[in-house]
């Protein structure tokens, strides 16, 4: 059973060892997936609560806030456990607030107002404001402004974008609104904050907007880049000069990006090239997920290293990340072709698919000339023109139609089971395929796409980090294949 199983899961169905690992990691990806109740104080907390937890024998675990309250526990005032975002089984009003929070994170209040947001969750604007104050202690607008201010401050400190354009990128409708929000939150105007920043060192790798994204070391950049390079689709992606590059599209605006590592400053240098930057926040969040910047590699390694099989692999490649992907639909198409055409060059089929159905795009990066096809490009297309037929073609078209009909969405999942359940509604997506997509598209750290007898069966001790175990095992298998190939080449000489 999944340790973060579902709405009415009993406390006993949660696995304490797995929960403690998530608590110690302080990984925000587990926030709201389970709750810890202190039997001495009868208070329950989120996994990221700043207050130290009670001793293990004084903790009771719950799969939802509602379950904790039914057992007589009260929400923690420090972490506001009753209003935890992303909770897998929120009931009633908390589910509405959770949905609204996700929409705000996706930019719903950047282009719309509270009334429109309330309509999307089936409420009146006054009722939605009341629920936000009740659950979060702040209005929807205040939460959206705080998000914009924090993002804008990063842009001020990390880019040379003009202040007027920067305000628009961060979702503010006017310079006056922007200046007021920045002063109210930081005590300084945008111009003063820029004057105070230290001058960035080093040239911008390419024309475009440079954003610096910090990571927790160690960071196995070479391993991550190698994974992406071996799967790069010509026209859409390239890996050259120790950098990853690809075409991107957000809200109908197409462009490209380049990602490099700045090891000295423990950050990634992301150059984003778009004609407009209204969707910059969403682009940056996708980059964070693609390069697994939320991970704490030391915490993950401390648990996985207890396994004798994994210990030498972790020591050989410290800081190995789980590579994400730009788009969930793209991840699913790749997974289908990888499984259905395993013996017939799936990568070549992807290249043909992009050349046939991918829209042309102009970028400053040589070789990046196409966008990956969208669902509307493939739902009724004759895939045989790209050399794709049979079960692979049927599965891709079923996938495209499911996305267009909103039967399948790639919004943040509530938990691993939720992500897999969404994917399995598409005919042709198997359990291992769903686990792989959940790992790369949803960023599920406990997804484990084992196939056949390649991986050990006993993986429960690796939870909740099985995706990282899978990456190390894949790396080991690929390393062995390369070694065997080199040995065979020597014999031929």
């Amino acid at each position: 059973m999944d340790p973060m199983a579902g709405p009415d899961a009993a406390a006993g169905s949660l696995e304490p060892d797995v929960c403690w690992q998530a608590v110690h990691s302080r990984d925000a990806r587990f926030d709201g997936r389970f709750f810890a109740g202190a039997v001495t104080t009868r208070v329950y907390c989120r996994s990221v609560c700043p207050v130290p937890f009670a001793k293990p024998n004084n903790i009771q675990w719950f799969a939802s806030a509602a379950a904790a309250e039914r057992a007589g526990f009260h929400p923690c005032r420090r972490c506001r456990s009753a209003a935890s975002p992303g909770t897998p089984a929120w009931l009633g009003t908390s589910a509405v607030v959770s949905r609204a929070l996700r929409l705000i994170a996706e930019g719903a209040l950047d282009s719309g107002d509270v009334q429109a947001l309330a309509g999307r969750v089936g409420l009146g604007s006054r009722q939605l404001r009341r629920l936000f104050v009740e659950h979060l202690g702040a209005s929807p607008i205040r939460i959206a402004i705080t998000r914009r201010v924090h993002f804008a401050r990063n842009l001020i400190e990390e880019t040379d974008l003009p202040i007027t354009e920067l305000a628009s990128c961060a979702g503010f409708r006017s310079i006056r609104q922007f200046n007021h929000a920045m002063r109210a939150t930081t005590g300084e105007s945008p111009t003063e904050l820029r004057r105070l920043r230290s001058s960035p060192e080093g040239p911008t790798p390419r024309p475009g907007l440079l954003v610096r994204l910090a990571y927790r070391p160690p960071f196995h950049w070479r391993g991550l880049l190698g994974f992406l390079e071996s799967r790069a689709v010509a026209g859409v992606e390239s890996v050259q000069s120790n950098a990853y590059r690809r075409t991107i599209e957000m809200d109908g605006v197409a462009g490209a990006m380049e990602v490099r590592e700045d090891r000295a400053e423990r950050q990634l240098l992301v150059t984003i090239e778009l004609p407009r930057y209204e969707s910059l926040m969403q682009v940056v969040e996708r980059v964070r997920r693609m390069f697994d910047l939320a991970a704490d590699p030391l915490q993950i390694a401390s648990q996985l290293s207890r396994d004798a099989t994994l210990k030498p692999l972790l020591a050989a490649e410290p800081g190995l990340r789980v590579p994400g992907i730009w788009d969930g639909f793209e991840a699913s198409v790749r997974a289908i072709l990888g499984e259905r055409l395993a013996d017939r060059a799936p990568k070549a089929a992807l290249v043909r698919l992009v050349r046939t159905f991918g829209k042309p795009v102009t970028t400053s990066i040589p070789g990046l000339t196409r966008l990956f096809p969208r669902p509307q490009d493939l739902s009724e297309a004759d895939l045989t023109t790209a050399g794709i037929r049979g079960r692979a073609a049927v599965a891709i078209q079923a996938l495209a139609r499911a996305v267009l009909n909103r039967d399948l969405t790639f919004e943040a999942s509530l938990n691993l089971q939720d992500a897999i359940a969404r994917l399995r509604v598409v005919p042709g997506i198997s359990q291992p395929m769903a686990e792989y997509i959940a790992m790369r598209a949803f960023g599920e750290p406990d997804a484990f796409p084992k196939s056949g007898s390649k991986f050990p069966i006993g993986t429960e001790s690796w939870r909740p980090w099985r995706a990282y175990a899978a990456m190390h095992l894949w790396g080991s298998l690929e390393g062995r294949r390369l070694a065997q190939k080199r040995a065979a080449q020597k014999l031929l000489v």
Side-chain angles (χ1 to χ4, degrees):
M1 175 178 284
D2 192 301
M4 299 92 181
D8 299 313
S13 68
L14 294 170
E15 300 178 24
D17 289 345
V18 176
C19 293
W20 277 116
Q21 288 296 333
V23 167
H24 293 319
S25 74
R26 297 291 178 185
D27 193 319
R29 289 173 292 184
F30 296 107
D31 185 14
R33 298 192 176 192
F34 62 89
F35 297 85
V39 298
T40 51
T41 62
R42 308 303 293 177
V43 170
Y44 72 93
C45 299
R46 294 153 62 176
S47 64
V48 294
C49 183
V51 178
F53 279 34
K55 295 180 180 179
N57 58 346
N58 288 331
I59 288 290
Q60 189 173 346
W61 300 101
F62 299 95
S64 70
E69 292 180 10
R70 284 198 299 269
F73 288 78
H74 305 288
C76 172
R77 293 183 179 179
R78 287 291 301 277
C79 67
R80 295 186 179 272
S81 47
S84 172
T87 304
W90 271 7
L91 303 175
T93 59
S94 56
V96 174
V97 175
S98 176
R99 172 64 177 158
L101 279 171
R102 290 178 185 274
L103 292 172
I104 290 173
E106 293 169 4
L109 291 182
D110 295 344
S111 57
D113 55 18
V114 174
Q115 186 172 352
L117 173 65
R120 292 177 70 178
V121 296
L123 295 177
S125 58
R126 182 178 297 180
Q127 186 180 6
L128 183 64
R129 290 189 188 96
R130 180 182 62 78
L131 290 178
F132 262 69
V133 172
E134 176 185 335
H135 285 279
L136 301 174
S139 68
I141 288 293
R142 173 47 53 192
I143 288 173
I145 288 175
T146 300
R147 168 177 169 267
R148 293 173 198 157
V149 166
H150 289 174
F151 183 75
R153 184 162 188 170
N154 286 338
L155 292 181
I156 290 170
E157 295 175 350
E158 298 173 352
T159 77
D160 294 317
L161 199 66
I163 294 295
T164 53
E165 192 173 348
L166 189 150
S168 175
C169 290
F172 292 95
R173 298 180 183 179
S174 70
I175 288 296
R176 182 178 179 181
Q177 181 192 48
F178 179 47
N179 287 336
H180 176 75
M182 294 300 293
R183 278 194 177 277
T185 304
T186 69
E188 306 281 353
S189 72
T191 303
E192 290 167 338
L193 286 171
R194 175 152 283 175
R195 192 181 300 124
L196 292 171
R197 75 175 185 175
S198 57
S199 299
E201 297 180 0
T204 300
R206 287 191 172 274
L209 176 63
L210 177 64
V211 177
R212 295 172 170 84
L213 303 179
Y215 61 74
R216 295 171 179 170
F219 191 94
H220 200 317
W221 175 249
R222 180 174 53 81
L224 193 154
L225 211 58
F227 183 95
L228 295 174
E229 182 178 17
S230 65
R231 293 159 177 80
V233 178
V236 174
E237 302 171 287
S238 70
V239 176
Q240 295 178 347
S241 305
N242 208 33
Y244 172 77
R245 306 179 179 108
R246 72 160 292 143
T247 58
I248 59 175
E249 182 181 27
M250 183 69 71
D251 297 332
V253 178
M257 71 176 188
E258 176 186 271
V259 185
R260 293 178 176 273
E261 185 192 22
D262 179 0
R263 181 173 296 182
E265 297 297 328
R266 298 177 176 180
Q267 61 187 4
L268 298 184
L269 303 177
V270 185
T271 303
I272 301 166
E273 181 184 313
L274 290 169
R276 305 191 308 274
Y277 291 95
E278 294 92 340
S279 300
L280 183 60
M281 270 189 284
Q282 290 87 341
V283 172
V284 170
E285 286 307 310
R286 289 203 187 188
V287 174
R288 289 184 190 277
R289 188 183 68 233
M290 281 186 69
F291 291 88
D292 198 13
L293 300 186
D296 183 346
L298 295 179
Q299 177 63 36
I300 294 168
S302 69
Q303 179 182 344
L304 295 181
S305 292
R306 299 172 190 170
D307 184 281
T309 301
L310 296 176
K311 186 175 182 178
L313 305 181
L314 288 154
E317 296 189 310
L320 191 65
R321 296 306 208 266
V322 175
I325 198 164
W326 174 255
D327 176 75
F329 176 72
E330 178 182 334
S332 304
V333 171
R334 286 172 178 254
I336 289 170
L337 291 176
E339 183 171 291
R340 300 299 182 195
L341 304 180
D343 300 324
R344 288 178 287 155
K347 187 172 176 180
L350 276 168
V351 172
R352 291 194 300 270
L353 187 75
V354 166
R355 287 176 179 170
T356 307
F357 300 106
K359 293 179 181 177
V361 63
T362 301
T363 75
S364 70
I365 303 175
L368 297 192
T369 58
R370 298 272 176 177
L371 296 171
F372 196 89
R374 306 304 305 137
Q376 56 268 30
D377 301 325
L378 302 182
S379 61
E380 302 298 334
D382 180 6
L383 299 183
T384 60
T385 59
I388 301 171
R389 50 181 54 85
R391 290 190 300 171
V394 170
I396 288 173
Q397 293 191 316
L399 168 71
R401 288 191 287 269
V403 174
L404 288 174
N405 295 334
R406 302 289 294 174
D407 296 328
L408 170 62
T409 66
F410 294 97
E411 297 170 353
S413 60
L414 299 178
N415 55 27
L416 177 58
Q417 286 186 332
D418 172 60
I420 291 174
R422 289 192 213 174
L423 293 162
R424 292 301 303 277
V425 303
V426 180
I429 292 188
S430 64
Q431 178 73 20
M433 201 187 301
E435 295 265 1
Y436 178 80
I437 298 167
M439 182 181 84
R440 296 203 63 199
F442 288 97
E444 286 292 336
D446 201 35
F448 191 71
K450 62 183 178 182
S451 178
S453 58
K454 289 183 179 180
F455 293 159
I457 295 176
T459 63
E460 290 303 304
S461 64
W462 301 345
R463 308 191 77 173
W465 312 114
R466 292 185 300 173
Y468 295 87
M471 287 301 302
H472 281 283
L473 291 168
W474 275 333
S476 175
L477 290 172
E478 289 181 5
R480 270 183 265 167
R481 281 196 292 267
L482 285 173
Q484 290 170 355
K485 184 177 180 179
R486 292 191 191 104
Q489 288 173 339
K490 287 182 180 179
L491 289 174
L492 289 174
V493 175

